[in-house]
Amino acid sequence: MELVKGPTYSHEEMLAHMVAEYEVILLRTCYMYLHDKALAEDATQETFLKAYKALDSFRGESSEKTWLMRIAMNTCRDMKRSAWFRYMDRSVEIERLPLPTKVFEFMEADDLTQAILKLPTKYKEVVLLHFYQDMTMREIASVLDISASTVQKRVKAACSKLKKMLGKEDFYES
Amino acid sequence: MNHEKMREHVHTGIDRQCASLTSDPYRVQRVLNKAHETPKTGGFVVKKKLSVGMVFAIVLILMTVTAVAAVLLSMRQIVDDYAVPMAQQSVGEIDYNPEEVSILVQLAQENGIVFSEHAMSNIAWAESHGEGYAKDEFIKLLAYTEFGEDISTWTLEQQKWFDDALVAMGIFPESQKAMPKDPEGEQELAVSRAVAHLTANYSIAGDIMDESQYQVGVQYINGDADGDYPGLYWSIDFQPKTITGGEYWVYLRDNGEILGQSVRLGLSADSSVGDVRDAYVRYYKKDYPAHVEWDQHVYQEFLATAKLVKPSNGRAYLCIIQTEYPDIPDDAISFDDAYAIAAADLGITDYRVFKKVLIATDTNPVWKFTMSRGEDDYSFEIDCITGEIRTKRLLDNLHRKWWMSIVLWEVSDEVDANWVDDSPSFG
């Protein structure tokens, strides 16, 4: 649920709302992008900081989620490009994150997650935004500033790569 | 599998594996603390008093934005529809004036375009000095927010778009970038041909197709505008992300004809210590302008690598292998204290210092650095525990070799005294 920006809400309240609504999904998206827990925390923190600083300028012409995701994607891209990123020990593989106590049966989902991590960045972005953030093609186009048709092509290409990596005949066809 | 199932698998997989990545109860407070540490650099736009005419212009632009936008304006729309037309109104002027910069920054921020702290700092500096901002530089800052600050990573389409914007603004007479008919398909083919050419003809350090080892840069160039070769051609380059990687450039036509290449081999045991130094300078160039500005840990890494090359009779090698860079002792005097000691010895209060490193000796390590007095440069080696000046030397042209600033003078003097130049002479 979005908070309609209005005179009754302070910036601190709006920040608290955004954090409550989007923190976890943003943090996990950043992890999948950067493949590093510490960087994902930094990227999430940086995203909310930038959003908070720019709240005066947010006029509600798009959804706040789209607005926030644009900031997050650009932040992740910047981090990935920074020299510092090269030094990070990215050997904190997903397997080393502690598992929850409940055991799921969706081994397919685990393989799929691993495969998504290995995708080239431009495909990983659209997969995360479309299937994890549940964004429409148009919203994704707005976040990444590419055309909707390019988004579609990349989703298709990404799924094709995932199908190949997983060796599954009955994989998703976009 | 249908969309819903795919979505469910993705959610389940990611949420399961990322179960330990959860909300932080202190997140909001940390953001607020950080926000209040630094001034809101975006605020300068609001604080500035604008002329009446500029206020009307801003209102007009913002009304248009409100009327048109159901979604955010993209960075490109801001450039194409506002920044470029604004620049065209003053062709011949290099800069946007301060008010124009204010409008564009505000427009960007309203649409979720966030400049880097570094960019905002530069813009704020210009504004505080009553200066405008170079048009092409400002467009570049906008482009950076989305494309990244490393132009070599921009897509062909991004490069073309940026080039066209500069042409529209009157900065270039003709676009230097072109677009192939099928950008993604043809690019992939061009890259694979470049890789094939390199692997067939050169010993490649590492795997040039491994994203963690090399950054691939691709350009499709209109050589007739400003290129090394006439007509349309591809420029494919591979930049190392590791210290040991090489640097490779290949130029080729659409049909695969190789026009040329440029290769800098990566580090190996056959490299010289000078090659190692160059590799470290390149690798750290973003953080340190030159090797002489490195921190102690970088010197330690450099030394460890340099000692792996095969032995040679070169003076640099002979000096480097006798050198150690220790960790800085807890009881060491600071750099500033060491500089003050040297400055007092020279009788100066204003000084410029460069080339600093801590070098091990038989007793206490010494801070080694160079200090200028007028036109003269003095090299000091100061005991890092006692502050005693162990060596002080006025530098002449014979003693400005790069390795001499990072090894003990007693070592380089001894090497020089015993060195026999066995390099081939050409008569």
Side-chain angles (χ1 to χ4, degrees), chain B residues 129-168:
Chain B
H129 286 72
E131 294 178 13
Y133 214 94
K135 291 173 183 172
D136 56 339
E137 284 299 318
F138 190 81
I139 301 302
K140 204 187 289 185
L141 292 184
L142 277 167
Y144 283 167
T145 64
E146 189 176 308
F147 301 165
E149 297 194 9
D150 183 354
I151 293 181
S152 71
T153 66
W154 291 8
T155 66
L156 295 180
E157 192 278 327
Q158 288 168 345
Q159 293 172 44
K160 180 80 171 75
W161 170 83
F162 181 73
D163 220 50
D164 287 347
L166 296 183
V167 170

mmCIF file of all heavy atoms in Angstrom, chain B residues 129-168:
data_model
loop_
_atom_site.group_PDB
_atom_site.id
_atom_site.type_symbol
_atom_site.label_atom_id
_atom_site.label_comp_id
_atom_site.label_asym_id
_atom_site.label_seq_id
_atom_site.Cartn_x
_atom_site.Cartn_y
_atom_site.Cartn_z
ATOM 1 N N HIS B 129 30.423 29.673 -6.529
ATOM 2 C CA HIS B 129 31.348 30.630 -7.147
ATOM 3 C C HIS B 129 30.682 31.436 -8.248
ATOM 4 O O HIS B 129 31.355 32.138 -9.007
ATOM 5 C CB HIS B 129 32.561 29.888 -7.722
ATOM 6 C CG HIS B 129 33.513 29.397 -6.680
ATOM 7 N ND1 HIS B 129 33.223 28.337 -5.859
ATOM 8 C CD2 HIS B 129 34.728 29.841 -6.300
ATOM 9 C CE1 HIS B 129 34.233 28.144 -5.019
ATOM 10 N NE2 HIS B 129 35.163 29.049 -5.261
ATOM 11 N N GLY B 130 29.351 31.325 -8.340
ATOM 12 C CA GLY B 130 28.611 32.081 -9.352
ATOM 13 C C GLY B 130 28.893 31.628 -10.764
ATOM 14 O O GLY B 130 28.690 32.381 -11.722
ATOM 15 N N GLU B 131 29.365 30.379 -10.886
ATOM 16 C CA GLU B 131 29.722 29.880 -12.210
ATOM 17 C C GLU B 131 28.651 28.940 -12.737
ATOM 18 O O GLU B 131 27.908 28.332 -11.963
ATOM 19 C CB GLU B 131 31.056 29.133 -12.132
ATOM 20 C CG GLU B 131 32.223 30.029 -11.788
ATOM 21 C CD GLU B 131 33.520 29.242 -11.683
ATOM 22 O OE1 GLU B 131 33.541 28.079 -12.102
ATOM 23 O OE2 GLU B 131 34.490 29.817 -11.166
ATOM 24 N N GLY B 132 28.626 28.814 -14.049
ATOM 25 C CA GLY B 132 27.739 27.826 -14.661
ATOM 26 C C GLY B 132 28.442 26.487 -14.703
ATOM 27 O O GLY B 132 29.374 26.227 -13.939
ATOM 28 N N TYR B 133 27.974 25.637 -15.612
ATOM 29 C CA TYR B 133 28.577 24.312 -15.747
ATOM 30 C C TYR B 133 28.679 23.992 -17.227
ATOM 31 O O TYR B 133 27.737 24.222 -17.978
ATOM 32 C CB TYR B 133 27.696 23.282 -15.033
ATOM 33 C CG TYR B 133 28.482 22.169 -14.405
ATOM 34 C CD1 TYR B 133 28.864 22.228 -13.060
ATOM 35 C CD2 TYR B 133 28.844 21.072 -15.146
ATOM 36 C CE1 TYR B 133 29.590 21.214 -12.481
ATOM 37 C CE2 TYR B 133 29.574 20.049 -14.588
ATOM 38 C CZ TYR B 133 29.946 20.114 -13.256
ATOM 39 O OH TYR B 133 30.677 19.106 -12.681
ATOM 40 N N ALA B 134 29.806 23.459 -17.632
ATOM 41 C CA ALA B 134 30.004 23.120 -19.051
ATOM 42 C C ALA B 134 28.881 22.195 -19.497
ATOM 43 O O ALA B 134 28.552 21.217 -18.826
ATOM 44 C CB ALA B 134 31.352 22.453 -19.252
ATOM 45 N N LYS B 135 28.289 22.526 -20.630
ATOM 46 C CA LYS B 135 27.107 21.797 -21.094
ATOM 47 C C LYS B 135 27.392 20.310 -21.280
ATOM 48 O O LYS B 135 26.626 19.460 -20.808
ATOM 49 C CB LYS B 135 26.618 22.388 -22.413
ATOM 50 C CG LYS B 135 26.033 23.789 -22.292
ATOM 51 C CD LYS B 135 25.750 24.349 -23.663
ATOM 52 C CE LYS B 135 25.232 25.787 -23.545
ATOM 53 N NZ LYS B 135 25.119 26.442 -24.856
ATOM 54 N N ASP B 136 28.497 19.998 -21.963
ATOM 55 C CA ASP B 136 28.751 18.588 -22.221
ATOM 56 C C ASP B 136 29.076 17.856 -20.929
ATOM 57 O O ASP B 136 28.686 16.693 -20.757
ATOM 58 C CB ASP B 136 29.869 18.404 -23.253
ATOM 59 C CG ASP B 136 31.165 19.090 -22.865
ATOM 60 O OD1 ASP B 136 31.117 20.025 -22.032
ATOM 61 O OD2 ASP B 136 32.207 18.703 -23.393
ATOM 62 N N GLU B 137 29.751 18.520 -20.009
ATOM 63 C CA GLU B 137 30.050 17.893 -18.727
ATOM 64 C C GLU B 137 28.779 17.644 -17.933
ATOM 65 O O GLU B 137 28.631 16.616 -17.278
ATOM 66 C CB GLU B 137 31.000 18.779 -17.903
ATOM 67 C CG GLU B 137 32.438 18.752 -18.372
ATOM 68 C CD GLU B 137 33.035 17.358 -18.277
ATOM 69 O OE1 GLU B 137 32.797 16.658 -17.262
ATOM 70 O OE2 GLU B 137 33.710 16.937 -19.244
ATOM 71 N N PHE B 138 27.839 18.584 -18.015
ATOM 72 C CA PHE B 138 26.602 18.416 -17.253
ATOM 73 C C PHE B 138 25.772 17.271 -17.823
ATOM 74 O O PHE B 138 25.193 16.486 -17.071
ATOM 75 C CB PHE B 138 25.795 19.715 -17.247
ATOM 76 C CG PHE B 138 24.644 19.672 -16.304
ATOM 77 C CD1 PHE B 138 24.829 19.903 -14.950
ATOM 78 C CD2 PHE B 138 23.369 19.350 -16.747
ATOM 79 C CE1 PHE B 138 23.771 19.827 -14.057
ATOM 80 C CE2 PHE B 138 22.309 19.273 -15.860
ATOM 81 C CZ PHE B 138 22.517 19.504 -14.513
ATOM 82 N N ILE B 139 25.708 17.188 -19.153
ATOM 83 C CA ILE B 139 24.969 16.080 -19.765
ATOM 84 C C ILE B 139 25.612 14.752 -19.366
ATOM 85 O O ILE B 139 24.934 13.750 -19.131
ATOM 86 C CB ILE B 139 24.970 16.213 -21.310
ATOM 87 C CG1 ILE B 139 24.334 17.534 -21.736
ATOM 88 C CG2 ILE B 139 24.257 15.059 -21.977
ATOM 89 C CD1 ILE B 139 22.930 17.709 -21.250
ATOM 90 N N LYS B 140 26.942 14.770 -19.270
ATOM 91 C CA LYS B 140 27.640 13.558 -18.871
ATOM 92 C C LYS B 140 27.244 13.166 -17.439
ATOM 93 O O LYS B 140 27.016 11.992 -17.151
ATOM 94 C CB LYS B 140 29.145 13.768 -18.964
ATOM 95 C CG LYS B 140 29.945 12.476 -19.138
ATOM 96 C CD LYS B 140 31.435 12.716 -19.066
ATOM 97 C CE LYS B 140 31.957 13.450 -20.263
ATOM 98 N NZ LYS B 140 33.433 13.565 -20.230
ATOM 99 N N LEU B 141 27.152 14.138 -16.548
ATOM 100 C CA LEU B 141 26.732 13.846 -15.167
ATOM 101 C C LEU B 141 25.344 13.223 -15.153
ATOM 102 O O LEU B 141 25.068 12.301 -14.389
ATOM 103 C CB LEU B 141 26.729 15.117 -14.309
ATOM 104 C CG LEU B 141 28.077 15.767 -14.004
ATOM 105 C CD1 LEU B 141 27.884 16.958 -13.071
ATOM 106 C CD2 LEU B 141 29.039 14.762 -13.382
ATOM 107 N N LEU B 142 24.466 13.740 -15.991
ATOM 108 C CA LEU B 142 23.123 13.155 -16.076
ATOM 109 C C LEU B 142 23.211 11.726 -16.597
ATOM 110 O O LEU B 142 22.586 10.813 -16.056
ATOM 111 C CB LEU B 142 22.230 13.997 -17.000
ATOM 112 C CG LEU B 142 21.563 15.217 -16.369
ATOM 113 C CD1 LEU B 142 20.970 16.131 -17.429
ATOM 114 C CD2 LEU B 142 20.481 14.788 -15.392
ATOM 115 N N ALA B 143 23.996 11.547 -17.639
ATOM 116 C CA ALA B 143 24.121 10.207 -18.220
ATOM 117 C C ALA B 143 24.728 9.223 -17.205
ATOM 118 O O ALA B 143 24.329 8.062 -17.130
ATOM 119 C CB ALA B 143 24.967 10.252 -19.486
ATOM 120 N N TYR B 144 25.665 9.702 -16.414
ATOM 121 C CA TYR B 144 26.297 8.842 -15.393
ATOM 122 C C TYR B 144 25.270 8.261 -14.427
ATOM 123 O O TYR B 144 25.422 7.144 -13.947
ATOM 124 C CB TYR B 144 27.313 9.642 -14.580
ATOM 125 C CG TYR B 144 28.632 9.915 -15.257
ATOM 126 C CD1 TYR B 144 29.515 10.857 -14.711
ATOM 127 C CD2 TYR B 144 29.006 9.262 -16.418
ATOM 128 C CE1 TYR B 144 30.734 11.128 -15.309
ATOM 129 C CE2 TYR B 144 30.230 9.529 -17.025
ATOM 130 C CZ TYR B 144 31.081 10.461 -16.460
ATOM 131 O OH TYR B 144 32.291 10.730 -17.052
ATOM 132 N N THR B 145 24.229 9.047 -14.128
ATOM 133 C CA THR B 145 23.272 8.589 -13.107
ATOM 134 C C THR B 145 22.607 7.298 -13.536
ATOM 135 O O THR B 145 22.118 6.537 -12.714
ATOM 136 C CB THR B 145 22.166 9.637 -12.844
ATOM 137 O OG1 THR B 145 21.396 9.815 -14.014
ATOM 138 C CG2 THR B 145 22.745 10.952 -12.382
ATOM 139 N N GLU B 146 22.590 7.082 -14.822
ATOM 140 C CA GLU B 146 21.897 5.895 -15.302
ATOM 141 C C GLU B 146 22.836 4.915 -15.989
ATOM 142 O O GLU B 146 22.721 3.707 -15.815
ATOM 143 C CB GLU B 146 20.812 6.313 -16.271
ATOM 144 C CG GLU B 146 19.896 5.184 -16.656
ATOM 145 C CD GLU B 146 18.804 5.675 -17.538
ATOM 146 O OE1 GLU B 146 18.141 6.656 -17.138
ATOM 147 O OE2 GLU B 146 18.628 5.102 -18.613
ATOM 148 N N PHE B 147 23.755 5.448 -16.763
ATOM 149 C CA PHE B 147 24.617 4.548 -17.531
ATOM 150 C C PHE B 147 25.855 4.116 -16.746
ATOM 151 O O PHE B 147 26.531 3.178 -17.134
ATOM 152 C CB PHE B 147 25.087 5.237 -18.817
ATOM 153 C CG PHE B 147 23.985 5.699 -19.746
ATOM 154 C CD1 PHE B 147 24.274 6.598 -20.762
ATOM 155 C CD2 PHE B 147 22.688 5.248 -19.615
ATOM 156 C CE1 PHE B 147 23.290 7.034 -21.632
ATOM 157 C CE2 PHE B 147 21.685 5.676 -20.480
ATOM 158 C CZ PHE B 147 21.993 6.578 -21.484
ATOM 159 N N GLY B 148 26.166 4.833 -15.681
ATOM 160 C CA GLY B 148 27.394 4.551 -14.952
ATOM 161 C C GLY B 148 28.509 5.473 -15.388
ATOM 162 O O GLY B 148 28.456 6.077 -16.465
ATOM 163 N N GLU B 149 29.526 5.569 -14.545
ATOM 164 C CA GLU B 149 30.586 6.555 -14.801
ATOM 165 C C GLU B 149 31.709 5.995 -15.645
ATOM 166 O O GLU B 149 32.653 6.703 -15.971
ATOM 167 C CB GLU B 149 31.122 7.087 -13.463
ATOM 168 C CG GLU B 149 30.049 7.824 -12.686
ATOM 169 C CD GLU B 149 30.595 8.653 -11.540
ATOM 170 O OE1 GLU B 149 31.824 8.803 -11.427
ATOM 171 O OE2 GLU B 149 29.782 9.150 -10.746
ATOM 172 N N ASP B 150 31.621 4.740 -16.005
ATOM 173 C CA ASP B 150 32.649 4.148 -16.865
ATOM 174 C C ASP B 150 32.055 4.045 -18.264
ATOM 175 O O ASP B 150 31.258 3.160 -18.553
ATOM 176 C CB ASP B 150 33.035 2.770 -16.330
ATOM 177 C CG ASP B 150 34.156 2.137 -17.152
ATOM 178 O OD1 ASP B 150 34.539 2.713 -18.195
ATOM 179 O OD2 ASP B 150 34.653 1.071 -16.745
ATOM 180 N N ILE B 151 32.458 4.959 -19.125
ATOM 181 C CA ILE B 151 31.856 5.030 -20.452
ATOM 182 C C ILE B 151 32.098 3.751 -21.251
ATOM 183 O O ILE B 151 31.295 3.381 -22.116
ATOM 184 C CB ILE B 151 32.399 6.268 -21.196
ATOM 185 C CG1 ILE B 151 31.906 7.531 -20.490
ATOM 186 C CG2 ILE B 151 31.979 6.294 -22.645
ATOM 187 C CD1 ILE B 151 32.363 8.821 -21.151
ATOM 188 N N SER B 152 33.169 3.034 -20.906
ATOM 189 C CA SER B 152 33.460 1.814 -21.662
ATOM 190 C C SER B 152 32.403 0.737 -21.416
ATOM 191 O O SER B 152 32.320 -0.232 -22.165
ATOM 192 C CB SER B 152 34.843 1.271 -21.297
ATOM 193 O OG SER B 152 34.844 0.734 -19.994
ATOM 194 N N THR B 153 31.600 0.911 -20.377
ATOM 195 C CA THR B 153 30.564 -0.089 -20.116
ATOM 196 C C THR B 153 29.218 0.298 -20.720
ATOM 197 O O THR B 153 28.253 -0.448 -20.608
ATOM 198 C CB THR B 153 30.353 -0.292 -18.599
ATOM 199 O OG1 THR B 153 29.820 0.927 -18.041
ATOM 200 C CG2 THR B 153 31.662 -0.645 -17.914
ATOM 201 N N TRP B 154 29.142 1.453 -21.337
ATOM 202 C CA TRP B 154 27.867 1.873 -21.929
ATOM 203 C C TRP B 154 27.532 0.992 -23.135
ATOM 204 O O TRP B 154 28.412 0.551 -23.883
ATOM 205 C CB TRP B 154 27.945 3.330 -22.382
ATOM 206 C CG TRP B 154 28.030 4.324 -21.268
ATOM 207 C CD1 TRP B 154 28.198 4.079 -19.934
ATOM 208 C CD2 TRP B 154 27.954 5.739 -21.399
ATOM 209 N NE1 TRP B 154 28.242 5.255 -19.238
ATOM 210 C CE2 TRP B 154 28.093 6.292 -20.105
ATOM 211 C CE3 TRP B 154 27.792 6.616 -22.483
ATOM 212 C CZ2 TRP B 154 28.065 7.658 -19.861
ATOM 213 C CZ3 TRP B 154 27.773 7.972 -22.243
ATOM 214 C CH2 TRP B 154 27.905 8.492 -20.946
ATOM 215 N N THR B 155 26.242 0.785 -23.349
ATOM 216 C CA THR B 155 25.820 0.019 -24.529
ATOM 217 C C THR B 155 26.025 0.885 -25.779
ATOM 218 O O THR B 155 26.207 2.111 -25.688
ATOM 219 C CB THR B 155 24.340 -0.369 -24.447
ATOM 220 O OG1 THR B 155 23.553 0.836 -24.515
ATOM 221 C CG2 THR B 155 24.033 -1.123 -23.154
ATOM 222 N N LEU B 156 25.940 0.230 -26.927
ATOM 223 C CA LEU B 156 26.088 0.956 -28.201
ATOM 224 C C LEU B 156 25.024 2.033 -28.323
ATOM 225 O O LEU B 156 25.289 3.151 -28.757
ATOM 226 C CB LEU B 156 25.924 -0.011 -29.381
ATOM 227 C CG LEU B 156 26.961 -1.098 -29.530
ATOM 228 C CD1 LEU B 156 26.636 -1.960 -30.742
ATOM 229 C CD2 LEU B 156 28.347 -0.500 -29.664
ATOM 230 N N GLU B 157 23.829 1.674 -27.903
ATOM 231 C CA GLU B 157 22.718 2.604 -28.040
ATOM 232 C C GLU B 157 22.908 3.799 -27.106
ATOM 233 O O GLU B 157 22.647 4.936 -27.477
ATOM 234 C CB GLU B 157 21.421 1.846 -27.742
ATOM 235 C CG GLU B 157 20.151 2.591 -28.108
ATOM 236 C CD GLU B 157 19.756 3.565 -27.037
ATOM 237 O OE1 GLU B 157 20.003 3.264 -25.851
ATOM 238 O OE2 GLU B 157 19.221 4.638 -27.380
ATOM 239 N N GLN B 158 23.405 3.534 -25.932
ATOM 240 C CA GLN B 158 23.654 4.627 -24.981
ATOM 241 C C GLN B 158 24.742 5.565 -25.514
ATOM 242 O O GLN B 158 24.636 6.780 -25.424
ATOM 243 C CB GLN B 158 24.070 4.062 -23.624
ATOM 244 C CG GLN B 158 22.926 3.414 -22.868
ATOM 245 C CD GLN B 158 23.388 2.611 -21.667
ATOM 246 O OE1 GLN B 158 24.571 2.295 -21.522
ATOM 247 N NE2 GLN B 158 22.452 2.257 -20.802
ATOM 248 N N GLN B 159 25.783 4.972 -26.057
ATOM 249 C CA GLN B 159 26.870 5.778 -26.614
ATOM 250 C C GLN B 159 26.355 6.648 -27.761
ATOM 251 O O GLN B 159 26.690 7.827 -27.871
ATOM 252 C CB GLN B 159 27.990 4.876 -27.147
ATOM 253 C CG GLN B 159 28.738 4.086 -26.090
ATOM 254 C CD GLN B 159 29.692 3.089 -26.723
ATOM 255 O OE1 GLN B 159 30.400 3.410 -27.683
ATOM 256 N NE2 GLN B 159 29.702 1.875 -26.212
ATOM 257 N N LYS B 160 25.555 6.044 -28.638
ATOM 258 C CA LYS B 160 25.027 6.774 -29.810
ATOM 259 C C LYS B 160 24.120 7.912 -29.339
ATOM 260 O O LYS B 160 24.197 9.034 -29.832
ATOM 261 C CB LYS B 160 24.250 5.797 -30.698
ATOM 262 C CG LYS B 160 23.646 6.434 -31.956
ATOM 263 C CD LYS B 160 24.698 6.597 -33.045
ATOM 264 C CE LYS B 160 24.078 7.022 -34.354
ATOM 265 N NZ LYS B 160 23.688 8.423 -34.377
ATOM 266 N N TRP B 161 23.280 7.600 -28.395
ATOM 267 C CA TRP B 161 22.363 8.606 -27.891
ATOM 268 C C TRP B 161 23.132 9.791 -27.316
ATOM 269 O O TRP B 161 22.829 10.953 -27.574
ATOM 270 C CB TRP B 161 21.449 7.984 -26.810
ATOM 271 C CG TRP B 161 20.656 9.017 -26.084
ATOM 272 C CD1 TRP B 161 19.486 9.594 -26.480
ATOM 273 C CD2 TRP B 161 21.020 9.655 -24.856
ATOM 274 N NE1 TRP B 161 19.082 10.539 -25.564
ATOM 275 C CE2 TRP B 161 20.003 10.600 -24.558
ATOM 276 C CE3 TRP B 161 22.086 9.518 -23.977
ATOM 277 C CZ2 TRP B 161 20.042 11.389 -23.416
ATOM 278 C CZ3 TRP B 161 22.125 10.311 -22.835
ATOM 279 C CH2 TRP B 161 21.103 11.233 -22.574
ATOM 280 N N PHE B 162 24.170 9.495 -26.526
ATOM 281 C CA PHE B 162 24.956 10.542 -25.888
ATOM 282 C C PHE B 162 25.672 11.385 -26.943
ATOM 283 O O PHE B 162 25.683 12.616 -26.887
ATOM 284 C CB PHE B 162 25.965 9.916 -24.925
ATOM 285 C CG PHE B 162 26.822 10.904 -24.198
ATOM 286 C CD1 PHE B 162 26.295 11.681 -23.176
ATOM 287 C CD2 PHE B 162 28.154 11.063 -24.521
ATOM 288 C CE1 PHE B 162 27.078 12.601 -22.499
ATOM 289 C CE2 PHE B 162 28.949 11.976 -23.839
ATOM 290 C CZ PHE B 162 28.414 12.743 -22.824
ATOM 291 N N ASP B 163 26.265 10.704 -27.913
ATOM 292 C CA ASP B 163 26.958 11.384 -28.994
ATOM 293 C C ASP B 163 26.004 12.304 -29.752
ATOM 294 O O ASP B 163 26.327 13.448 -30.085
ATOM 295 C CB ASP B 163 27.525 10.327 -29.940
ATOM 296 C CG ASP B 163 28.898 10.680 -30.430
ATOM 297 O OD1 ASP B 163 29.750 11.010 -29.587
ATOM 298 O OD2 ASP B 163 29.101 10.654 -31.645
ATOM 299 N N ASP B 164 24.815 11.781 -30.057
ATOM 300 C CA ASP B 164 23.816 12.574 -30.796
ATOM 301 C C ASP B 164 23.411 13.801 -29.997
ATOM 302 O O ASP B 164 23.173 14.876 -30.561
ATOM 303 C CB ASP B 164 22.586 11.715 -31.110
ATOM 304 C CG ASP B 164 22.850 10.684 -32.195
ATOM 305 O OD1 ASP B 164 23.893 10.788 -32.878
ATOM 306 O OD2 ASP B 164 22.017 9.769 -32.362
ATOM 307 N N ALA B 165 23.324 13.643 -28.681
ATOM 308 C CA ALA B 165 22.964 14.791 -27.840
ATOM 309 C C ALA B 165 24.037 15.881 -27.957
ATOM 310 O O ALA B 165 23.729 17.072 -28.069
ATOM 311 C CB ALA B 165 22.793 14.354 -26.383
ATOM 312 N N LEU B 166 25.298 15.456 -27.958
ATOM 313 C CA LEU B 166 26.380 16.442 -28.055
ATOM 314 C C LEU B 166 26.378 17.110 -29.430
ATOM 315 O O LEU B 166 26.681 18.304 -29.551
ATOM 316 C CB LEU B 166 27.737 15.770 -27.805
ATOM 317 C CG LEU B 166 27.939 15.180 -26.411
ATOM 318 C CD1 LEU B 166 29.345 14.616 -26.274
ATOM 319 C CD2 LEU B 166 27.698 16.224 -25.328
ATOM 320 N N VAL B 167 26.045 16.350 -30.467
ATOM 321 C CA VAL B 167 25.953 16.939 -31.809
ATOM 322 C C VAL B 167 24.799 17.950 -31.834
ATOM 323 O O VAL B 167 24.936 19.058 -32.345
ATOM 324 C CB VAL B 167 25.736 15.838 -32.873
ATOM 325 C CG1 VAL B 167 25.398 16.441 -34.235
ATOM 326 C CG2 VAL B 167 26.989 14.969 -32.995
ATOM 327 N N ALA B 168 23.663 17.556 -31.264
ATOM 328 C CA ALA B 168 22.490 18.459 -31.234
ATOM 329 C C ALA B 168 22.809 19.746 -30.479
ATOM 330 O O ALA B 168 22.289 20.807 -30.793
ATOM 331 C CB ALA B 168 21.299 17.752 -30.587
#
